[in-house]
Amino acid sequence: MSTVLPDSRSLLRRTLGERRIALVAWRLLVLQNSDPAVAAGLAHFSTYRAHPWRRVEHTMDSGQRLFFSDREGLQREIARLERTHRRIQGTDGQGRAFTALDPAVRVWVLVTLYESMTAMCELSGAPLSAGQCDLLYGEFRTVCAAFDLPEELFPATAAEVPAYMDRTIRERLEYTEAAHDLLFQMLRQAPSPRRLGRLRPAWPLLRPVIAHLMTALTVADLPPAFRQRFDLRRSRGAAALSWTLHHGMRHVMALLPDHLRYRTGATPPSATAHPTATPHSNPNTNANTGSNGNGKSPLGAVRALRLPRPRRSERRSARQARVEAFFRQVVDQTGDGFITAADLQAMAHNVCWQLELSEEEEARVYAGFDTWWQHIHATMDTDGDGRVSRAEFTTAVLAGVDRDPDYLHNGLHAALRALFRAADTDGSGYLTADEYRVLFGGSRVHPAELNHGFRQLDADGDGQITEDEFLRAFTDYFTARTDTTAGAQLLGRP
């Protein structure tokens, strides 16, 4: 097998990079999460219920890095995934041990991606020929070879993939809670996507319609063996919806210019946008850009730590409102109303996800968040059930900061120091405005608000934020009696 990675003109990149691949994305997630080991990992370590769009973004971003990078970028992404997955292990609800590093599980996740590309073409009325399938599968396996997984676990040829899918569906897959959530629950409860723009206020009205359509489309598009085994009925209306969307999008895409039809990395060389170098690249990544190899700045590496604005409508003090909002929107990553070690681990994961940290730096971030969890567990779990409710969190924080000046220092500050030092990519000891934007930026925050927040934290006005200023701002967030204090304005004006 060739060791040359597919280039931008390859069938793999053109198929995977075409924007209509989004039509089979939910189908792909259902198939992957029907594996009991994948579902157990989600149940114990994922925040997909509370943050479904972030989960989709991470999946798409990782796919971009794996299949649209050069060999160095591919190896970095594989190493990053392995460090992340090494922490995902345990025992599922039926007492079965699971690990995200199980080779058979990893092969299943990879092969479903190839199968989804062929399904996209088949569902659109333009199935790949046998020769095209062989070419696509060969290019796909070239990338998969970098994972160093046992060859015998993969279907040997493209022609053997359908039998592999049917066999795995019959012998291994289960109708897991995660699969059920993806099909029938998640979109009906999902928060507004960040990219919805001016339509976000209409999300409560759009959500049930979109959820119904996505359920119908996904059920209609799932492999017949999957529908048969788990008794999922494909109605005539769902079949008509699938035919209309897939055939319609194929014709629409054919009329679009390449820069609109394909994502970055899948267009012909003349139209491919090259990443722009930034002056604050991580010296430990051996990369010459701050874009992590995909032409984009890291999407708010601490999206999990964005400090929310308090609800003014609540009849309580501004400080209590901030603490409760912090619990809901920041610390309770799984969205189940409680904090456990998994929530803090998820926060650390989201900090590390885009920063291209070295293994040692990543370990320090996890250690900082683990210290915070140990403090939360020791000081807030009043009923001893191993988790912390919103009431326990709010009561403990308000009482703790009033009683003990070092209360935040002993817990939260350990995580914040790790966070600050991870974001300080040039090791200068302070955050510049650019590093601050990487840390807190994203489509939810207007640049003017980011600039305002930076100025509020930059207490001495020297154009940079020291670690002490950073910690003081978070301390003020929990201790300030009014919303006018700088710490209450970390993401802009209240």
Side-chain angles (χ1 to χ4, degrees):
M1 183 179 295
S2 172
T3 60
V4 178
L5 292 181
D7 62 21
S8 59
R9 293 163 294 188
S10 69
L11 181 59
L12 173 67
R13 289 193 175 183
R14 285 187 286 113
T15 305
L16 187 58
E18 193 170 5
R19 295 187 186 277
R20 64 189 173 104
I21 195 73
L23 289 175
V24 293
W26 214 255
R27 172 190 185 277
L28 169 66
L29 291 176
V30 171
L31 288 172
Q32 291 178 344
N33 290 296
S34 295
D35 184 288
V38 176
L42 284 178
H44 287 78
F45 297 99
S46 178
T47 63
Y48 76 99
R49 286 189 179 91
H51 303 280
W53 308 121
R54 186 171 68 195
R55 163 72 177 173
V56 172
E57 287 175 358
H58 283 188
T59 299
M60 294 178 65
D61 175 61
S62 185
Q64 181 85 2
R65 296 184 186 196
L66 290 173
F67 292 95
F68 295 90
S69 297
D70 56 18
R71 185 164 295 280
E72 182 181 356
L74 171 62
Q75 294 291 352
R76 283 201 309 270
E77 178 61 11
I78 291 175
R80 186 168 70 101
L81 288 172
E82 289 184 347
R83 289 197 302 272
T84 299
H85 290 160
R86 197 177 300 137
R87 298 181 173 92
I88 302 177
Q89 56 183 312
T91 305
D92 69 11
Q94 299 183 36
R96 299 173 297 188
F98 71 88
T99 171
L101 292 179
D102 182 341
V105 175
R106 301 176 76 188
V107 168
W108 167 251
V109 170
L110 287 168
V111 173
T112 54
L113 180 59
Y114 164 80
E115 188 272 345
S116 292
M117 288 187 278
T118 61
M120 177 191 75
C121 297
E122 184 174 349
L123 290 165
S124 69
L128 298 177
S129 67
Q132 288 174 318
C133 287
D134 288 339
L135 176 60
L136 179 65
Y137 192 62
E139 294 172 347
F140 172 78
R141 288 294 306 280
T142 298
V143 177
C144 292
F147 283 86
D148 198 25
L149 294 166
E151 289 282 326
E152 62 271 15
L153 294 180
F154 286 91
T157 65
E160 296 180 27
V161 171
Y164 165 85
M165 294 292 299
D166 285 350
R167 183 172 63 253
T168 305
I169 288 171
R170 291 194 313 270
E171 299 176 359
R172 181 178 178 89
L173 297 195
E174 299 174 1
Y175 188 62
T176 63
E177 183 179 355
H180 177 80
D181 282 352
L182 284 163
L183 282 172
F184 299 107
Q185 297 294 333
M186 188 182 302
L187 287 176
R188 288 168 172 79
Q189 304 166 356
S192 170
R194 295 195 319 277
R195 297 182 180 181
L196 204 56
R198 295 180 180 179
L199 292 177
R200 288 181 66 185
W203 177 246
L205 298 176
L206 295 173
R207 180 167 53 190
V209 177
I210 293 173
H212 176 75
L213 294 176
M214 283 297 296
T215 295
L217 175 67
T218 305
V219 170
D221 291 350
L222 283 166
F226 189 97
R227 294 199 308 269
Q228 181 179 2
R229 179 173 181 197
F230 301 116
D231 195 26
L232 295 171
R233 304 299 175 86
R234 183 192 194 200
S235 68
R236 291 183 179 179
L241 174 68
S242 172
W243 190 96
T244 301
L245 286 177
H246 286 288
H247 284 70
M249 285 299 294
R250 174 169 65 87
H251 291 296
V252 169
M253 290 291 111
L255 298 175
L256 294 177
D258 285 339
H259 72 279
L260 295 178
R261 181 176 181 177
Y262 299 100
R263 299 181 68 199
T264 301
T267 54
S270 61
T272 301
H274 295 280
T276 302
T278 68
H280 298 291
S281 299
N282 188 336
N284 296 308
T285 64
N286 297 320
N288 59 6
T289 74
S291 63
N292 304 322
N294 62 9
K296 298 180 182 179
S297 298
L299 298 176
V302 288
R303 188 174 299 150
L305 273 178
R306 283 210 181 126
L307 294 188
R309 300 174 185 175
R311 296 182 183 176
R312 290 192 170 277
S313 61
E314 296 182 15
R315 294 182 177 274
R316 56 178 66 87
S317 69
R319 186 167 65 131
Q320 181 178 348
R322 284 198 302 272
V323 173
E324 292 186 352
F326 189 85
F327 178 94
R328 281 194 315 272
Q329 300 179 30
V330 177
V331 195
D332 181 16
Q333 287 285 298
T334 55
D336 63 356
F338 296 92
I339 309 172
T340 66
D343 292 284
L344 276 295
Q345 182 168 329
M347 295 174 73
H349 168 76
N350 287 304
V351 169
C352 297
W353 180 255
Q354 303 251 16
L355 289 185
E356 292 285 0
L357 303 179
S358 68
E359 188 168 1
E360 293 75 17
E361 291 169 324
E362 195 171 284
R364 285 195 289 269
V365 171
Y366 275 91
F369 279 86
D370 183 64
T371 297
W372 186 18
W373 161 246
Q374 296 301 330
H375 183 256
I376 288 174
H377 185 241
T379 63
M380 301 181 187
D381 183 16
T382 56
D383 58 8
D385 64 352
R387 57 185 187 173
V388 174
S389 67
R390 185 175 70 175
E392 288 175 321
F393 181 83
T394 304
T395 301
V397 169
L398 293 176
V401 297
D402 286 341
R403 180 184 66 251
D404 182 3
D406 291 331
Y407 183 80
L408 297 177
H409 171 81
N410 294 330
L412 173 63
H413 283 187
L416 292 178
R417 288 190 191 92
L419 174 62
F420 181 94
R421 293 166 190 177
D424 178 19
T425 54
D426 58 4
S428 63
Y430 55 80
L431 296 185
T432 64
D434 286 342
E435 289 170 326
Y436 178 85
R437 292 186 190 100
V438 168
L439 195 62
F440 289 105
S443 57
R444 283 186 178 182
V445 187
H446 192 278
E449 293 299 303
L450 279 172
N451 293 336
H452 174 78
F454 180 83
R455 289 193 298 269
Q456 292 296 315
L457 269 66
D458 181 15
D460 55 10
D462 63 353
Q464 56 195 30
I465 299 171
T466 66
E467 187 173 309
D468 286 342
E469 289 173 326
F470 190 71
L471 296 177
R472 190 181 313 126
F474 278 83
T475 299
D476 289 346
Y477 181 85
F478 291 103
T479 60
R481 301 288 178 176
T482 69
D483 291 336
T484 58
T485 303
Q489 303 181 40
L490 284 175
L491 290 185
R493 303 164 183 83

